[in-house]
Amino acid sequence: MGLKVEDVKAWIMKTNEQIQQNKEYLSELDQAIGDGDHGTNISRGFQETVNKISSTEYTAVADLIKDWSMTLLSKVGGAAGPLFGTALLKFSGAVQGKEEIDYGSFVEGVEAGLNGLILRGKAEEGDKTMVDVWSPLLTYLKGREALDADDFEEAAKAAMENTKNLKAKKGRASYLGDRSIGHLDPGSVSSYYLFSSLAQVIKEEGVQL
Amino acid sequence: MSQVGIVLVSHSHKIAEGVKDLVTQVFKETAVVAAGGTDDNEIGTSLEKIQQAIDEADQGDGVVVFFDIGSAMMNAELAIELSGSEDRVKIADAPFVEGAYVACLEAGTGKDVYEVLAAAERARGHQKKA
């Protein structure tokens, strides 16, 4: 038994809670190396997603994830919109036709999402972008056959913390050059919230993934 | 006569509108549509606004899209992909003001979308001070 519609809804709700709680923090991180609006933008997009999915019935997980992506695409406003939106749109495509997401299709979804991020942002690993969370996590997932929620959460956290040491090569932060070193990448922090929220949902709902 | 349309995608509503004012004052015949700012005209870009602008600018002969920074290009790419019009809607890697100016000049003489795009991108190498 994998992630069903209600589990994915819980995942979105939990991510939204984390993002709303850390809205100011995300904008502070972005003020250091970007334009300072990441928290405001991403929190607006997730709140709109919660509003949309709360009032809609879903039978397929892919439809739910597609609505999530389309809401972020239209409501975020900053770079995180097309990036998270594209990643989730590709994720949704990868789990099309599934009643629930099992481990194999979750890994396929993350891979499709990462490829979408790379295509959209033209970034590679080491550029200090959210690719630096998604890419190591995909490698982590591919080396396993089932998900240990705590271990997965640790892997996501380590990847997110590693962005502090990197020099930005993409986005507004790249204009800062060496001055970007020593700051966490805001998109990587919100990507960490996404994956750590999933780990929490898996534990709380007793999902076997 | 064929006429390529122009779309201006900026993080700022005022920048997009300002450049539109500037170029349409000279090239009155060209379809120039501004898509600046978020849905409520805050700083940012809006996928839906860009989609609508492309629809509006497209007279059947294609559109050249100009962008300022970062997410403007990503949202412009998405708008084009989602509409499936990659063959005739092109994003210019060009300076926002000068590129749009040159594009309007070329579009007004009936050039096709590739010629307008190439002319706009050549504006990148144009020495302004020399």
Side-chain angles (χ1 to χ4, degrees):
Chain A
M1 129 187 140
L3 292 164
K4 294 190 277 297
V5 165
E6 53 269 32
D7 302 319
V8 176
K9 273 198 175 182
W11 177 18
I12 297 170
M13 300 288 183
K14 181 74 75 183
T15 311
N16 181 50
E17 275 171 35
Q18 284 218 55
I19 283 175
Q20 300 304 333
Q21 280 164 13
N22 293 289
K23 181 176 157 178
E24 307 295 328
Y25 170 62
L26 287 169
S27 284
E28 279 165 26
L29 291 174
D30 196 29
Q31 272 157 21
I33 57 171
D35 50 2
D37 59 1
H38 185 64
T40 318
N41 285 337
I42 197 86
S43 63
R44 178 176 54 234
F46 270 84
Q47 190 56 55
E48 294 278 354
T49 307
V50 166
N51 298 347
K52 163 80 185 167
I53 64 161
S54 304
S55 58
T56 312
E57 290 292 321
Y58 296 92
T59 48
V61 283
D63 294 343
L64 168 59
I65 297 170
K66 190 171 181 197
D67 270 4
W68 182 9
S69 90
M70 293 310 288
T71 312
L72 295 182
L73 286 175
S74 64
K75 299 295 178 191
V76 171
L83 289 169
F84 271 111
T86 301
L88 290 167
L89 193 62
K90 302 290 182 191
F91 190 114
S92 150
V95 299
Q96 194 77 41
K98 309 259 182 210
E99 259 181 54
E100 53 182 59
I101 302 172
D102 60 13
Y103 189 76
S105 41
F106 176 66
V107 180
E108 282 173 28
V110 172
E111 181 156 34
L114 170 65
N115 289 338
L117 279 181
I118 291 169
L119 172 88
R120 185 67 57 221
K122 297 175 179 69
E124 50 189 66
E125 205 171 339
D127 284 353
K128 198 182 182 96
T129 70
M130 56 176 89
V131 168
D132 292 307
V133 168
W134 285 68
S135 182
L137 275 187
L138 177 65
T139 308
Y140 169 93
L141 291 167
K142 282 191 161 177
R144 283 160 182 77
E145 285 169 359
L147 198 87
D148 176 307
D150 287 321
D151 199 39
F152 176 70
E153 203 268 343
E154 279 302 310
K157 191 173 189 180
M160 177 265 285
E161 285 173 346
N162 187 46
T163 65
K164 196 166 190 172
N165 307 319
L166 299 171
K167 176 174 162 178
K169 299 205 182 70
K170 288 284 163 190
R172 205 78 64 91
S174 65
Y175 294 110
L176 292 173
D178 285 340
R179 279 178 291 150
S180 67
I181 299 171
H183 299 279
L184 287 171
D185 169 54
S188 293
V189 177
S190 45
S191 294
Y192 163 68
Y193 293 149
L194 176 79
F195 291 115
S196 67
S197 299
L198 176 65
Q200 281 184 41
V201 167
I202 285 170
K203 283 193 282 185
E204 285 167 17
E205 308 294 325
V207 176
Q208 301 288 318
L209 194 66
Chain B
M1 189 179 75
S2 72
Q3 180 78 271
V4 171
I6 308 296
V7 166
L8 302 167
V9 183
S10 169
H11 275 62
S12 156
H13 171 71
K14 288 182 184 172
I15 288 178
E17 289 293 337
V19 173
K20 180 188 163 173
D21 287 348
L22 176 70
V23 296
T24 51
Q25 198 212 16
V26 189
F27 308 106
K28 295 185 171 60
E29 306 303 314
T30 310
V32 181
V33 186
T38 62
D39 291 341
D40 38 15
N41 293 336
E42 296 294 322
I43 297 293
T45 56
S46 154
L47 177 65
E48 283 162 31
K49 211 179 234 191
I50 300 167
Q51 285 173 319
Q52 283 167 14
I54 290 172
D55 281 350
E56 201 182 316
D58 194 358
Q59 320 280 304
D61 301 304
V63 175
V64 176
V65 180
F66 292 85
F67 70 96
D68 56 2
I69 44 178
S71 71
M73 184 179 84
M74 293 194 271
N75 268 333
E77 282 178 343
L78 260 165
I80 296 166
E81 280 170 31
L82 293 173
S83 69
S85 53
E86 288 102 324
D87 56 336
R88 56 204 189 88
V89 180
K90 301 291 172 191
I91 300 175
D93 184 353
F96 198 67
V97 180
E98 292 83 353
Y101 186 91
V102 171
C104 287
L105 173 70
E106 298 292 321
T109 62
K111 298 279 175 60
D112 73 23
V113 71
Y114 292 97
E115 291 169 315
V116 174
L117 176 73
E121 292 190 339
R122 278 198 300 277
R124 207 174 41 206
H126 186 79
Q127 287 281 337
K128 291 208 285 185
K129 218 178 147 188

